[in-house]
Amino acid sequence: MEQVTIKNDFISLSVLDYGAIIQKLLVKDKEGKELNLVVGLENPKSYLDDHKCLGACVGRYAGRISNGGFQIEGNTYNLYTQNGVHLHGGKQGFAQKYWKFDAIEHREQPFVKLTRQSPHMEEGYPGNLKASVTYKLIDNSLQIIHEAITDRTTILNLTNHSYFCLDSTNSIDHYQLQLQCPEILETDNSLLPTGKLVSVKDTQYDFLTRKEIGKIRLDTAYVVSDSAKKVAELYSPVSGMRMTVESNQPAVIVYTPPEFGAICFETQNYPDAPNILSFPSAILHPGETYINKAVFTFDLVT
């Protein structure tokens, strides 16, 4: 297992070839001490036993798919399911695969690019897929770009699955959260979308105005406002650290795990889009390039 660290004056980022995992994201707090803003494991080999996708690239399809598969061009493709749900790419998705360090730059605007060839019918998905993820440091921002091409029509939905913690309290109750997301996807008991979009107004899911998270816990697909440049903003009054999230994707899955105090912002397409025609298309054709771009910016608010 290989590890690469890139850094600039603001951020130090450590990445593993296994799962294209973000292992550490170090930013200085208001006292000048380095604060790791992601939940990670100190020993890289420990990730082999991780089932929470800590910091990993998730695919081929991030999120849930229903009906045991999907159809493309009249062909049915069956996927691995548990309790009727296909999750995060299957039994062994991209988060449990080794990637290849393809390019590394340590000088101006440091970056690391990882690539992976996913063969036709891996985990039941059609097409030989060439995927890449690039982590780039631009001043006090981390830019994450997922790209992919295929040799036959397929579906695709990649995202990064980092769990962010903006201080060392191991709690998110005091965090202040704002989401430029006026609607969420209605889901059933298996967290599969019903196809209906629901307004967040006057519900616990309403973070259109910044408010304290408190005891609210989320595993929720938010619909990003069409006009929103900034998808999310998270702030810890303890550390003074603020994180903003920008994305070119139509949704963000906001997830707060029950086991520890952290929060995920999975910028991506809608869950189960391959099976719900009213959702944005998840189809990737030969000759097209899939691009999922997200920017995470960190600064101190005094």
Side-chain angles (χ1 to χ4, degrees), residues 75-183:
N75 297 312
T76 298
Y77 297 94
N78 298 312
L79 301 174
Y80 171 81
T81 62
Q82 282 188 305
N83 301 316
V85 177
H86 175 81
L87 178 65
H88 288 341
K91 195 169 186 178
Q92 193 178 44
F94 281 12
Q96 291 83 40
K97 299 289 188 180
Y98 280 93
W99 293 61
K100 176 185 176 183
F101 284 112
D102 190 65
I104 303 168
E105 174 61 64
H106 289 289
R107 290 169 291 184
E108 287 189 27
Q109 294 192 350
F111 72 87
V112 54
K113 180 179 182 179
L114 300 98
T115 56
R116 175 159 201 279
Q117 301 275 356
S118 178
H120 174 56
M121 296 308 295
E122 182 176 58
E123 289 287 343
Y125 292 90
N128 293 294
L129 190 82
K130 182 178 181 180
S132 71
V133 56
T134 301
Y135 300 113
K136 189 173 186 177
L137 304 182
I138 303 175
D139 296 327
N140 58 329
S141 296
L142 167 63
Q143 185 181 93
I144 303 177
I145 303 176
H146 296 89
E147 297 178 273
I149 55 174
T150 182
D151 65 355
R152 68 181 72 193
T153 305
T154 190
I155 63 167
L156 189 65
N157 189 33
L158 304 178
T159 195
N160 178 264
H161 207 285
S162 288
Y163 294 77
F164 292 96
C165 48
L166 301 189
D167 58 42
S168 56
T169 63
N170 196 32
S171 171
I172 62 169
D173 292 7
H174 58 284
Y175 286 8
Q176 296 171 16
L177 174 63
Q178 184 176 16
L179 298 168
Q180 299 298 326
C181 303
E183 295 174 310

Side-chain angles (χ1 to χ4, degrees), residues 15 44 163 234 248 274 282:
V15 178
Y163 294 77
L234 187 69
N248 68 343

Side-chain angles (χ1 to χ4, degrees), residues 186-197:
E186 181 184 72
T187 55
D188 63 17
N189 292 334
S190 298
L191 293 180
L192 287 166
T194 65
K196 183 180 179 181
L197 276 57

Side-chain angles (χ1 to χ4, degrees), residues 56-59 62 146 157-161 265-268 290 292:
C57 172
V58 177
H146 296 89
N157 189 33
L158 304 178
T159 195
N160 178 264
H161 207 285
F265 296 94
E266 303 162 53
T267 59
Q268 59 177 76
Y290 171 90
N292 177 340

